[in-house]
Amino acid sequence: MTIPSPLIFVPRKVTADVDFAPHLKSIITRHYNESAESYTDELALLNRSRQDALRGSAGSDVTGRDLLYKYFGQLELLELRFPELRVPFPWNDAFTHVKISQLSLAYEKASVIFNIGATLSSLAASSPRSSPEGLKRAYNSFRMASGMFTYINDNFLHAPSTDLSREVVKVLVGLMGAQATEVFIETMAPGAKGAGLKSKLCMQASSHYAGIVEEVKEWVNKSVFIREWSLLIQSKAKYFASLAQYYRSLADAGASKYGDALARLGLAETLAKESSRLAGLFASSFSTSSTSTSLAPDAPVSLVELTKAHLTLVSEARTAAQKDNDLVYNDVVPSEASLPVVEKGKDIAEPIPIHDVYAAADVQKIVGPDLFSRLVPLSVHESASMYSEEKAKLVRAEAERADLADGELIAALEYMGLPASLDRFRSGTAGQDGLTDPGAEVRGWADEIRREEQNGRLDDMMSRLAASRDRASKDLGKIGQDLEVEQRECELMRVRYGHLWDQSPSASLTRSYRQDLKSHRESLEQAAGSDAQAQRLWDEIRGDVDAMRDPSGQHLERLFVEAVGSGTSAGPSLLDSDFGEDEDEDIKKRVSSISDALARLSKVKKERIDLLKDLKERVQSDDISHLLILNRKGSASVEPTLFATELEKFRPHQTRIAATIHHQQQSLTEISGDFKALSESKKAREMQGQWGDAERRRKDLVQRLHRARSAYGEVREGVTRGVQFYQDLADLVDGLGAQVNSYLTSRDAERNQLASSAAVQQRLEAPRSPPATTLDRRMDSMSLGGGAVSLAVALRPTGPTTRAVTVPEPTDERAGPLYPTHTLLNNNTTPLLLLLSLSYSYGAPPPPTQPQQQPYYNQYGQQQGPPPPPPPPQGYRPAY
């Protein structure tokens, strides 16, 4: 990796000055009977050591680390000599900055170790990783920091501050391990060489980061960690997972597994994109003021460049691999789920224990001589440490033996199904009554369904769905019928008046309405299909849902009773059955023997647990410092003998633990023999079969109810979406209907006006009528054919000098409007009869008259007619 990634370092705790002199002088005087004034120089050195280590006068991180090493080493020695020391130690929380003061020396030690870990992490993060020496220093520093934080969790309980709590320290341990692994990966040369090993290490780093993602988020929400930590850790988890897949693809390609390599490159590209996205979020939320104590200022730039470069690399590799596979290899590309998991391999970032750190010669030199060596010799403490290690070995050995015995006991009982299978032999088929209880899980499903039904029964929702669908269909049909009627009326008038009729044809004006009508009908048909699917699924599960939504719960209990079947009848137990006196006695004896052996095993296990607990407590409280002081003038061979003698006081515990393991093995052998003989009897096999059938039927019922619960939720969700869909569709249909009605109204008004004008024009263009004496004959001989229309207009006298000309109304009441009555002045009082004969044929229609509404212009500025209504809703698709 050419671009170094940003690393997180832990902020340090802050403290105030503390003066050890008054407290230590009092202890020296009271407990050691020495002059406290003779230790004035030592006390001053101790105070100065604390000030240099914790007040920021260290200078560089390396110097600060060495001063912290020295101060903690002196604290360890001080505690051995002054365990009763009580000094108020004020410390500010490293994350919340809350000031907490305690008198315990353990609190001081834990805080100092925390600062050592924080300083080591800062030293590692700031170490130049462009050289092998810098990479090695960063790698070891992170591992040592992880060891420091691990020591806090292992040795200090009941943390008074957040930064020392087990949860926070555990996250810091994981973070240090992840970054140590990351630095180790940087030491490896890029390229395909060793791709398999690199993929394992990258997956190990990704696993470390992914393992603390959720904990870091939680502490971010509690305002302990900053948000930038969470984003950086998430991005790195994805980045190293992508890098692992990329290197594994190189290894697969080298092994001629081109399909696997291509699939892994696709997965690597997906992970790289997610890492790049998180890096962008990290950069956008980065605040120099809030991150100055844990991140470098150039962290966002480095992370964005790193993830972007990796994404480019993976994308190009995937494109090339895809091309090669298509043109050359034609290998089958498996799915990502079927790819073998990339192994993490052995952990390469194990914490370096604090004891190993202080065992190094250079650290011992930094710590220097014991300031109060005149009070207690250092050799005593060294011998005490060696003795403590021997005690720890003893406890670990006994704990391993006890754990192994517990595992063997659990495995043996699980294999024989004890003690549950023994209860079956005692109760017989009558014991199957317990299987008829639905259980908490099934009752929980039923409660969920009942709560949902309170918000609206699914049956009612299905009815609403059908009613809404029918109403929408009816409304759409009416709109279509109105458009058809209007079109027929327009064409009838065109036939009637011929060239005098210049109203625009309806087809061009109603095209958008008809398209919307068709679209709504198609959506309605799709929704009807979804409704049918929901109805079929509902019909399948209705019975089971009815049982679960029964408020009394009796229906549900009856289902389980029926499922278990005849096994719930009060049949005789195996001990009460009459199938031979000898066999009966043998079975009773074996059941009793197994029960007694199980009781003994329970007592043996409890005794072993108590013994191990007591052994740990005794080892923890054991202190032979006074013996070591008494024997400090002896030869070096005295210590092993003394250690062996002191460890013998724990021999009774070891012996009793071994005895419990022996008794356990004997009891298991006895139980195994009796259970085998019991299970091989004819009646026992029959009983086991009945129990097995009953349990299988109950399991099948539970699975069926689970499917019904899931399907119920799917149907309800789908129906809810369906109801909303029909509401939206109804709004659209109503809007379309309003537009169509407006259009029809304007067309009717236009048609009435045109009909009046056409009728007058038709009358004026007609020839004069023949004499009145021949009128009846002409009317009788008049025929309608060849597309001609003849209209008779009768002039009836309305006064001495006025004649009324009446135009007959059309026979079709919807063919046209009522025509007006016109008056002709004539000096003759004799009635006149005028025959107007009009003949016309279809020709090109006149330009259409737009309805009375705002015109609609297309994207080119051309007028297109009425604006189209909004598109109809898409048909809903229930999730089933």
Side-chain angles (χ1 to χ4, degrees), residues 485-532:
V485 170
E486 189 276 333
Q487 185 176 9
R488 285 200 304 270
E489 290 177 352
C490 177
E491 295 308 318
L492 284 174
M493 299 299 284
R494 195 180 309 281
V495 170
R496 176 168 301 172
Y497 293 110
H499 70 280
L500 299 177
W501 188 257
D502 58 356
Q503 187 177 27
S504 302
S506 301
S508 61
L509 299 178
T510 60
R511 183 178 295 110
S512 62
Y513 299 142
R514 295 181 185 276
Q515 289 177 352
D516 294 339
L517 189 63
K518 179 182 177 182
S519 178
H520 292 339
R521 283 174 172 167
E522 290 176 352
S523 298
L524 187 63
E525 290 177 0
Q526 294 177 2
S530 298
D531 295 346

Side-chain angles (χ1 to χ4, degrees), residues 717-762:
E717 181 182 359
V719 171
T720 301
R721 291 202 302 268
V723 171
Q724 182 61 43
F725 166 81
Y726 285 122
Q727 289 177 357
D728 297 339
L729 182 60
D731 294 340
L732 292 176
V733 171
D734 291 343
L736 179 60
Q739 294 183 27
V740 171
N741 288 337
S742 176
Y743 164 75
L744 294 177
T745 300
S746 64
R747 290 282 287 184
D748 286 345
E750 181 187 15
R751 190 162 49 250
N752 290 340
Q753 182 180 1
L754 292 175
S756 299
S757 300
V760 173
Q761 187 68 24
Q762 189 179 54

Side-chain angles (χ1 to χ4, degrees), residues 9 89 305 725 777 819:
F9 51 93
F89 297 104
E305 292 179 355
F725 166 81
R777 183 172 68 252
Y819 303 148

Side-chain angles (χ1 to χ4, degrees), residues 478-489:
K478 182 179 181 303
I479 293 172
Q481 182 181 4
D482 290 345
L483 291 175
E484 293 297 333
V485 170
E486 189 276 333
Q487 185 176 9
R488 285 200 304 270
E489 290 177 352

Side-chain angles (χ1 to χ4, degrees), residues 162-283:
T162 303
D163 54 0
L164 296 178
S165 64
R166 297 185 65 86
E167 294 79 9
V168 171
V169 174
K170 180 182 177 182
V171 172
L172 298 179
V173 171
L175 178 60
M176 297 300 105
Q179 295 189 135
T181 306
E182 179 180 351
V183 172
F184 184 85
I185 294 173
E186 292 182 6
T187 63
M188 306 180 70
K193 185 177 181 181
L197 176 60
K198 293 177 184 177
S199 66
K200 292 182 179 180
L201 295 179
C202 291
M203 185 56 68
Q204 187 177 132
S206 175
S207 177
H208 281 311
Y209 278 119
I212 62 174
V213 165
E214 295 302 324
E215 289 83 358
V216 171
K217 287 182 179 178
E218 179 181 351
W219 289 109
V220 168
N221 293 333
K222 294 180 180 180
S223 300
V224 175
F225 295 156
I226 57 178
R227 184 170 181 263
E228 286 82 353
W229 279 29
S230 177
L231 293 174
L232 178 59
I233 291 171
Q234 292 180 65
S235 179
K236 286 192 175 183
K238 299 294 183 182
Y239 168 77
F240 281 103
S242 174
L243 201 60
Q245 297 295 336
Y246 170 75
Y247 280 125
R248 183 57 183 270
S249 72
L250 296 180
D252 289 342
S256 299
K257 298 179 181 179
Y258 302 105
D260 290 359
L262 182 56
R264 290 191 184 277
L265 285 174
L267 180 57
E269 185 177 21
T270 302
L271 293 169
K273 289 179 180 179
E274 181 64 14
S275 176
S276 181
R277 183 186 69 82
L278 292 169
L281 292 176
F282 170 76

Side-chain angles (χ1 to χ4, degrees), residues 190-481:
K193 185 177 181 181
L197 176 60
K198 293 177 184 177
S199 66
K200 292 182 179 180
L201 295 179
C202 291
M203 185 56 68
Q204 187 177 132
S206 175
S207 177
H208 281 311
Y209 278 119
I212 62 174
V213 165
E214 295 302 324
E215 289 83 358
V216 171
K217 287 182 179 178
E218 179 181 351
W219 289 109
V220 168
N221 293 333
K222 294 180 180 180
S223 300
V224 175
F225 295 156
I226 57 178
R227 184 170 181 263
E228 286 82 353
W229 279 29
S230 177
L231 293 174
L232 178 59
I233 291 171
Q234 292 180 65
S235 179
K236 286 192 175 183
K238 299 294 183 182
Y239 168 77
F240 281 103
S242 174
L243 201 60
Q245 297 295 336
Y246 170 75
Y247 280 125
R248 183 57 183 270
S249 72
L250 296 180
D252 289 342
S256 299
K257 298 179 181 179
Y258 302 105
D260 290 359
L262 182 56
R264 290 191 184 277
L265 285 174
L267 180 57
E269 185 177 21
T270 302
L271 293 169
K273 289 179 180 179
E274 181 64 14
S275 176
S276 181
R277 183 186 69 82
L278 292 169
L281 292 176
F282 170 76
S284 62
S285 64
F286 188 83
S287 173
T288 307
S289 59
S290 62
T291 60
S292 59
T293 59
S294 60
L295 285 168
D298 62 344
V301 177
S302 301
L303 184 63
V304 169
E305 292 179 355
L306 177 69
T307 55
K308 185 182 296 184
H310 175 64
L311 177 57
T312 303
L313 173 67
V314 172
S315 299
E316 293 175 352
R318 181 177 180 273
T319 302
Q322 181 71 57
K323 182 177 180 180
D324 292 342
N325 191 57
D326 292 342
L327 298 178
V328 182
Y329 307 116
N330 293 321
D331 199 1
V332 177
V333 180
S335 63
E336 296 178 358
S338 62
L339 290 173
V341 177
V342 179
E343 298 178 357
K344 296 184 293 185
K346 184 179 179 181
D347 191 3
I348 61 169
E350 292 184 353
I352 298 178
I354 188 174
H355 302 293
D356 294 346
V357 174
Y358 274 85
D362 55 343
V363 177
Q364 289 292 325
K365 184 178 180 180
I366 291 172
V367 173
D370 184 5
L371 295 177
F372 299 93
S373 57
R374 291 184 295 166
L375 290 175
V376 178
L378 182 60
S379 59
V380 172
H381 299 290
E382 294 175 350
S383 299
S385 297
M386 296 172 60
Y387 178 69
S388 298
E389 181 60 28
E390 293 298 324
K391 292 190 296 181
K393 290 180 180 179
L394 185 148
V395 172
R396 285 196 296 269
E398 295 304 317
E400 289 176 359
R401 291 174 61 190
D403 292 341
L404 181 61
D406 291 343
E408 292 177 351
L409 175 60
I410 293 173
L413 296 181
E414 286 182 351
Y415 176 76
M416 291 181 286
L418 294 174
S421 57
L422 195 63
D423 295 335
R424 297 179 182 179
F425 289 116
R426 292 195 186 101
S427 60
T429 57
Q432 296 178 13
D433 290 341
L435 299 178
T436 61
D437 181 29
E441 184 179 26
V442 177
R443 295 185 190 278
W445 300 339
D447 292 339
E448 292 175 0
I449 290 179
R450 284 194 288 268
R451 284 194 298 268
E452 293 181 2
E453 286 289 292
Q454 291 176 357
N455 298 328
R457 288 180 55 83
L458 187 55
D459 297 304
D460 298 337
M461 296 173 66
M462 298 289 287
S463 300
R464 284 182 56 197
L465 200 67
S468 300
R469 182 177 62 250
D470 294 342
R471 176 181 175 274
S473 178
K474 180 180 178 182
D475 292 344
L476 290 174
K478 182 179 181 303
I479 293 172
Q481 182 181 4

